[in-house]
Amino acid sequence: MPELVAVFLFIGVVAYSLLGGADFGAGFWDLTAGGAERGRAPRALVDASLSPVWEANHTWLIYCLVMLWTGFPTAFEAITTTLYLPLGIAALGIVLRGAGFAFRHASIRTPEQRLYGAAFALCSLLTPFCFGAVTGGIASGRVPTQGKGDAITSWLNPTSALGGVLAVLVCAYLAAVYLCVAAVRAGDPALAEYFRVRGLAAALVTGAVSIGGIFVLRSDAPRLFHELSHRALPLVILAAAGGVASVIVLARPVRRPLGLRETAGAAVALVVLGWGVAQYPYLLGTHLSIDAAAAPHSVLWVLVAVAIVAGALILPSAILLFRLAERGRLGTPADQASG
């Protein structure tokens, strides 16, 4: 039963990585789009793509938190009492990012639009970096079982820095691919080319950082490095193959988006799954097993039942939402802001 709950928890982690990650990555491209005139078209596509779904994307974070604190309260206490600084910064970033995105559409004056746009874009970088740093601190075993670990070195260390940088790059890569597909389907080849080039660049930089990260993990997180190169190696190889496949597709103009978004998403999902397999059976990287951290079985049974019922109710609604948004049937960003 504890392992089953851990699987449900990790489903949420993967979903948030793919949906929330692309959401954050769109903010990265918003930040780097350039001035008001040059960046008008990319930002318009970002707004049109995010406006209907950005709140739904982040419900997966709530799901993960509920699963963690209910199913594994010991691990939740240890993580939050040690990594409270990056978690607090990430929470603040989510709030400011959402406020900036919403108020930018409702503002009339240009200075206010720039202020809110800057908050949205900058927090789109800061938040995934903090989440990546938290992951690095956990994976490298810097969160003690009893909690209240070092508030600074637990997330300011080589593995956390690698995790933070990779999180930002992966988010940018996912967003560029998703936006490229959206531009192709909208019949805008110039914008599709714009995001194709950026997606290709993000993929290549992410691959280079990942290769360099091997040496970081080998010296700073030896158990994680060992398990990634042994037990989780098939997933790592499949993730690399998915990344190479998407690079091949992005290497030339995209006329048909068939499989591009799925290939990129699969590559990222496999990386996250590889991390989970490498950590097993520990929740804190090198210690605190899943069984030792689990809540009583009566609680776990209820949690599994609630997760199944929630999935049966919410997943069809989420699929419908994304399909309607993809077909442009949910209105424009301006309509949503005024409504």
Side-chain angles (χ1 to χ4, degrees), residues 251-297:
R252 50 187 179 178
V254 179
R255 293 181 176 85
R256 294 182 179 179
L258 183 64
L260 176 57
R261 188 168 52 186
E262 291 76 12
T263 302
V268 174
L270 287 165
V271 169
V272 179
L273 288 173
W275 163 54
V277 170
Q279 280 209 172
Y280 183 83
Y282 300 114
L283 284 176
L284 299 181
T286 60
H287 51 278
L288 188 61
S289 68
I290 292 174
D291 288 338
H297 274 235

Side-chain angles (χ1 to χ4, degrees), residues 1-19 60-61 63-69 71-72 79 135 138-139 224 228 232 235 266-285 290 303-304 307:
M1 182 56 65
E3 282 78 8
L4 179 60
V5 175
V7 169
F8 274 100
L9 169 61
F10 219 74
I11 289 173
V13 173
V14 173
Y16 190 57
S17 300
L18 295 177
L19 300 175
W60 288 104
L61 177 60
Y63 170 88
C64 292
L65 290 174
V66 172
M67 293 294 291
L68 181 60
W69 84 52
F72 306 100
I79 292 169
T135 302
I138 295 171
L224 179 63
L228 284 173
L235 293 173
V268 174
L270 287 165
V271 169
V272 179
L273 288 173
W275 163 54
V277 170
Q279 280 209 172
Y280 183 83
Y282 300 114
L283 284 176
L284 299 181
I290 292 174
L303 190 61
V304 168

Side-chain angles (χ1 to χ4, degrees), residues 160-251:
S160 289
L162 174 64
V165 171
L166 279 177
V168 173
L169 291 174
V170 166
C171 290
Y173 162 65
L174 276 177
V177 169
Y178 291 2
L179 290 168
C180 177
V181 172
V184 171
R185 290 181 172 171
D188 192 334
L191 205 51
E193 178 67 10
Y194 176 93
F195 282 111
R196 180 193 71 82
V197 172
R198 282 153 181 77
L200 180 61
L204 293 175
V205 173
T206 302
V209 172
S210 299
I211 293 172
I214 294 173
F215 303 98
V216 174
L217 295 180
R218 185 175 182 179
S219 62
D220 192 60
R223 183 185 183 276
L224 179 63
F225 170 79
H226 180 271
E227 296 301 332
L228 284 173
S229 58
H230 288 78
R231 180 195 300 169
L233 185 59
L235 293 173
V236 174
I237 294 174
L238 288 174
V244 170
S246 66
V247 166
I248 293 173
V249 175
L250 289 169

